[in-house]
Amino acid sequence: MAPEYNMMELMICVASRYLENGKTVAVGTGAPCAAAMLAQKMASPDLVILFEAGGVAPMLPQMPISVGDSRTFYRAVMAAGMAEMMTTCARGQVDYAFLGGAQIDRYGNINSTCIGDYHKPKVRFPGSGGANDFASLCWQTMIMTVHQKARFVEKCDFVTSPGFLSGDGSREAAGLPEGGPYKIITDLAVMGFEPETKSMMVESLSPGVELDKVRAETGFELLVTAELGRTEPPTADELRILREEVDPLRLVIGRS
């Protein structure tokens, strides 16, 4: 009998599978941190986790509650600071980074600044923090989010963190290094980006989800890979480690 799981557990397990052994990943707290911890405890024991506030390769004893939590420095290789962390990104030493935001468009641009006009917004959000640096300088970025039409928009009201800007070649033309968005992991699907146009493309559907549902919750036309598949659900081992070792207090995965 297949194990039961919720959508947050699905997204964390799926994200963890993209974090290869020996790579470096910059994470915030919450689901990205849980994915990185799970990857370390599964197939990627030598994954190097970095935190925006300066923790480099800590041996996390518990789920931290902020990027400056003392646990993000526990038995770390280095307890640095934000300046050192961002220059590490600028040197090309960070393979992956996780980002979030209120809006994302077809080219992976992210808005975490405001809804509506910048000067008279309907809603004001916290803004960039280190997200622009991560999006601009890390090799590949990933997003975990609930799939809603209000989030997946034709055009971001404000671009806080650049993806592929307006499509093929525009990122490089703006002076940004090679890289950009890699995977968008939602409760409905996993999406990548078409190599030529850099437009968002559905790669696999979550268990029990059909393509029409994904399209209905997206505010722009999605491309679909010819090899459209099904996302593998969490395994019993993944769920056991996630629930018992990564997040036993269920701060991220929620209480049943």
Side-chain angles (χ1 to χ4, degrees):
M1 185 175 178
E4 294 184 0
Y5 56 87
N6 62 37
M7 289 298 101
M8 179 58 73
E9 291 172 326
L10 171 67
M11 290 191 286
I12 290 170
C13 290
V14 171
S16 74
R17 298 168 191 165
Y18 288 106
L19 301 175
E20 302 104 316
N21 197 36
K23 297 291 189 178
T24 52
V25 57
V27 303
T29 49
C33 183
M37 291 174 69
L38 179 61
Q40 273 192 335
K41 294 175 183 295
M42 294 291 294
S44 303
D46 297 320
L47 178 71
V48 177
I49 302 175
L50 307 103
F51 288 90
E52 181 182 331
V56 178
M59 297 178 67
L60 294 168
Q62 294 176 316
M63 178 72 65
I65 60 173
S66 76
V67 293
D69 188 321
S70 61
R71 285 168 285 201
T72 66
F73 300 98
Y74 181 75
R75 300 183 68 180
V77 170
M78 183 167 63
M82 185 175 292
E84 290 86 352
M85 189 65 250
M86 296 312 167
T87 54
T88 300
C89 298
R91 288 193 295 267
Q93 294 179 293
V94 181
D95 297 302
Y96 299 113
F98 280 95
L99 300 173
Q103 294 178 329
I104 178 170
D105 68 18
R106 70 172 70 236
Y107 299 115
N109 302 305
I110 299 170
N111 173 18
S112 56
T113 299
C114 64
I115 299 296
D117 180 77
Y118 179 81
H119 299 286
K120 294 182 178 180
K122 296 177 181 177
V123 182
R124 177 76 72 182
F125 297 115
S128 173
N132 183 287
D133 298 75
F134 284 168
S136 298
L137 302 172
C138 296
W139 287 107
Q140 294 179 309
T141 55
M142 291 191 274
I143 297 171
M144 278 189 281
T145 184
V146 175
H147 205 127
Q148 298 171 337
K149 200 167 186 176
R151 290 180 180 270
F152 287 79
V153 296
E154 180 68 36
K155 182 178 176 60
C156 290
D157 292 346
F158 185 94
V159 176
T160 312
S161 306
F164 292 116
L165 296 178
S166 59
D168 187 31
S170 59
R171 181 180 171 91
E172 293 77 10
L176 296 174
E178 179 185 352
Y182 175 46
K183 301 294 179 187
I184 313 296
I185 299 160
T186 79
D187 51 331
L188 302 183
V190 174
M191 290 160 290
F193 293 83
E194 200 276 325
E196 298 300 323
T197 64
K198 305 300 185 185
S199 188
M200 196 179 297
M201 178 172 64
V202 183
E203 296 180 343
S204 69
L205 299 170
S206 296
V209 174
E210 299 303 328
L211 185 58
D212 286 349
K213 173 67 172 176
V214 181
R215 284 175 165 155
E217 291 294 340
T218 306
F220 52 86
E221 185 177 353
L222 281 166
L223 301 180
V224 181
T225 181
E227 298 82 28
L228 182 63
R230 281 283 173 194
T231 303
E232 289 293 325
T235 67
D237 280 346
E238 285 175 327
L239 289 173
R240 177 182 57 79
I241 292 172
L242 177 59
R243 293 168 179 175
E244 296 178 8
E245 299 182 33
V246 173
D247 190 19
L249 298 179
R250 296 182 177 265
L251 300 174
V252 177
I253 61 177
R255 299 183 184 276
S256 58

